Amino acid sequence: MKENSAIERLYNGIVKENPTFVLLLGMCPTLAVTTSAINGLGMGLTTAVVLTLSNVMISLLRKIIPNGVRIPAFIVVIASFVTIVQLLLEAYLPFLNEALGVYIPLIVVNCIILGRAEAYAYSHGPVSSLFDGLGMGLGFSVALTAIGAVREILGAGTLFNMAIMPKSYQPIGIFVLAPGAFFVLACLAAAQNYVKRKLAAKGKDVSKIGSGCGHDCLNCSEGACTERTAALKEEDK
Amino acid sequence: MENVKELLIILISSSLVSNVVLSQFLGLCPFLGVSKKTDTAAGMGGAILFVITLSSAISGIVYQFILSPLHLEYLQTIVFILVIAALVQFVEMFLKKFMQPLYKALGVYLPLITTNCAVLGVALTNVQKEYGILAGIVNGFATALGFLIAIVILAGLREKMAYNDVPESFKGMPHVLLTAGLMAIAFCGFSGLL
């Protein structure tokens, strides 16, 4: 596949560098809104829209934004799109707005968005940035929907509000409550660990497989916090 | 009297019943990232307490006296994030210059929480629930207190279980997440409190 082509970017976002399954980024929304498949899908698509729009806008502005103030500039662009999307949801999809509540404005601090702006959109053209945002956003949506589906099936015996489990199935209510979110994510992280070990044993490169954010929701991705993490490690000693 | 009772209810519900990390999933990154040792966890909790209380005061004032009279409520997300980011930078410089001991205790953690979702989350919740400035400050303090309680407990548990024999794949993050899940079950018990 040609580097930075549309297909390569989509594949990269959905499979190769899937923000949730591979990089384990953006955990706060992942845990909070995946109580059902429909909520997960709604959150995923909302994030995808913001991510795509902000990627394109930042890519268009990349020659104008000075390097020194790029992070505040990114934040303003992202926050503007989040506000627009929030107002649109309030007007046209009020049930989704109600279900996701405060997590919609909190998309601003989703590290996937700022991470892509910093790592990709700021140094690439608008078309490939568009597909990069679309790929990452769809990857996030797929992951949230899948996690939401697992929790909904186990916790309520339904999928997209349709009963799919046999009548004899006793729903494990805890999976749609807060503790269930931690358990599901723990299993996911364990599966990721397992794959990573298998790949490492075969001598493959596993440096891309991340283990989530460290400290700061917005600035955790890429190199942004390596020096701070180093400072904390000193502290730990 | 009525007012005091209301504030007390906010205090208990925000710190224990709907705990910021264990039931609202805000501020997970520092919760998982900085909970290896109790001292560091307490330092992080202290920094969060400081920043959230201060930022809910400032964002409450900005909302009541600037955004609301000008009918610019829809700009809250943009304004809050910029105000909070600027505030943390300013606090860091202020502490460095005038309060060395406090800076030594919190300095490392302050830049880590500039744009934490818990900080912005509290500011937005205050507006959503239509809290006044005082109620907002109490809510911010209580939320951060809940964070402090949760991260110190988790760090204590992690110190104890550092040498446990767990399956290879569950080492590290999954193990911590399972522990957090069990803590969340325990905190569910507080829901009978109010």
Side-chain angles (χ1 to χ4, degrees):
Chain A
M1 265 182 285
K2 221 173 91 222
E3 188 129 341
N4 294 329
S5 68
I7 311 242
E8 189 267 341
R9 279 291 103 194
L10 289 176
Y11 174 77
N12 182 62
I14 299 173
V15 183
K16 215 170 121 208
E17 281 184 38
N18 186 298
T20 307
F21 290 146
V22 180
L23 304 176
L24 222 62
L25 287 178
M27 278 191 289
C28 307
T30 308
L31 288 179
V33 302
T34 51
T35 47
S36 67
I38 189 81
N39 281 358
L41 184 65
M43 184 68 186
L45 290 181
T46 314
T47 312
V49 170
V50 174
L51 179 55
T52 313
L53 292 175
S54 71
N55 252 12
V56 172
M57 183 58 90
I58 287 165
S59 170
L60 288 172
L61 294 174
R62 69 185 189 281
K63 301 231 166 77
I64 307 170
I65 300 175
N67 201 32
V69 292
R70 64 183 195 287
I71 302 284
F74 295 165
I75 293 175
V76 172
V77 170
I78 296 167
S80 315
F81 281 120
V82 169
T83 307
I84 294 170
V85 167
Q86 189 190 1
L87 292 174
L88 287 175
L89 281 183
E90 249 175 74
Y92 296 107
L93 293 169
F95 74 95
L96 196 63
N97 189 48
E98 202 118 300
L100 301 179
V102 76
Y103 296 101
I104 299 267
L106 285 179
I107 294 176
V108 179
V109 284
N110 188 325
C111 51
I112 299 169
I113 301 183
L114 194 82
R116 288 330 284 174
E118 172 89 349
Y120 198 87
Y122 195 55
S123 52
H124 290 80
V127 178
S128 45
S129 296
L130 171 92
F131 284 103
D132 181 74
L134 211 54
M136 280 284 164
L138 289 179
F140 191 57
S141 309
V142 168
L144 286 198
T145 315
I147 297 173
V150 169
R151 285 181 67 187
E152 196 181 344
I153 292 171
L154 290 175
T158 61
L159 184 61
F160 289 108
N161 290 329
M162 285 179 293
I164 56 155
M165 296 299 264
K167 278 230 168 61
S168 56
Y169 176 73
Q170 199 77 39
I172 315 167
I174 199 144
F175 273 97
V176 289
L177 298 176
F182 283 110
F183 295 144
V184 171
L185 192 73
C187 295
L188 190 66
Q192 194 208 34
N193 264 351
Y194 179 78
V195 172
K196 193 174 173 179
R197 270 193 312 128
K198 285 277 145 148
L199 286 181
K202 277 191 207 153
K204 288 204 176 127
D205 175 31
V206 290
S207 59
K208 279 273 178 217
I209 302 183
S211 53
C213 13
H215 320 285
D216 189 342
C217 295
L218 188 54
N219 288 329
C220 63
S221 51
E222 308 300 329
C225 73
T226 32
E227 46 191 285
R228 301 182 202 163
T229 321
L232 268 183
K233 284 219 174 94
E234 284 287 297
E235 193 86 340
D236 264 343
K237 269 174 201 163
Chain B
M1 248 356 251
E2 195 55 31
N3 243 333
V4 176
K5 197 176 147 202
E6 227 165 73
L7 294 182
L8 215 64
I9 288 180
I10 294 179
L11 188 70
I12 293 175
S13 80
S14 296
S15 61
L16 297 175
V17 180
S18 51
N19 187 283
V20 61
V21 260
L22 296 173
S23 86
Q24 297 190 57
F25 308 108
L26 297 178
L28 270 175
C29 318
F31 181 67
L32 300 172
V34 201
S35 55
K36 277 208 186 83
K37 280 176 60 185
T38 10
D39 325 347
T40 19
M44 190 67 183
I48 291 240
L49 192 70
F50 189 71
V51 169
I52 289 191
T53 313
L54 202 61
S55 76
S56 42
I58 302 283
S59 58
I61 291 169
V62 167
Y63 188 79
Q64 293 278 345
F65 295 110
I66 301 177
L67 294 185
S68 211
L70 296 174
H71 301 291
L72 290 173
E73 286 93 343
Y74 62 91
L75 284 181
Q76 46 169 294
T77 316
I78 306 178
V79 172
F80 284 173
I81 186 127
L82 293 177
V83 166
I84 292 170
L87 176 77
V88 177
Q89 293 282 325
F90 178 74
V91 165
E92 200 191 347
M93 285 192 283
F94 182 82
L95 290 184
K96 199 171 184 177
K97 185 100 174 96
F98 297 108
M99 297 178 178
Q100 276 292 333
L102 197 60
Y103 179 75
K104 284 228 172 80
L106 305 180
V108 202
Y109 310 104
L110 278 178
L112 298 178
I113 47 181
T114 322
T115 40
N116 194 291
C117 49
V119 185
L120 184 62
V122 171
L124 291 168
T125 320
N126 284 343
V127 171
Q128 232 168 39
K129 292 197 175 162
E130 292 172 3
Y131 288 152
I133 294 178
L134 182 65
I137 296 175
V138 172
N139 184 39
F141 177 78
T143 308
L145 192 67
F147 181 87
L148 180 68
I149 295 172
I151 196 173
V152 170
I153 295 178
L154 181 70
L157 289 171
R158 280 182 76 172
E159 278 183 2
K160 290 262 181 253
M161 64 190 201
Y163 300 104
N164 281 7
D165 189 21
V166 288
E168 193 63 35
S169 298
F170 272 89
K171 273 188 185 151
M173 187 70 96
H175 194 193
V176 180
L177 284 168
L178 283 179
T179 318
L182 293 175
M183 277 172 65
I185 294 184
F187 270 71
C188 280
F190 284 120
S191 57
L193 210 58
L194 285 181

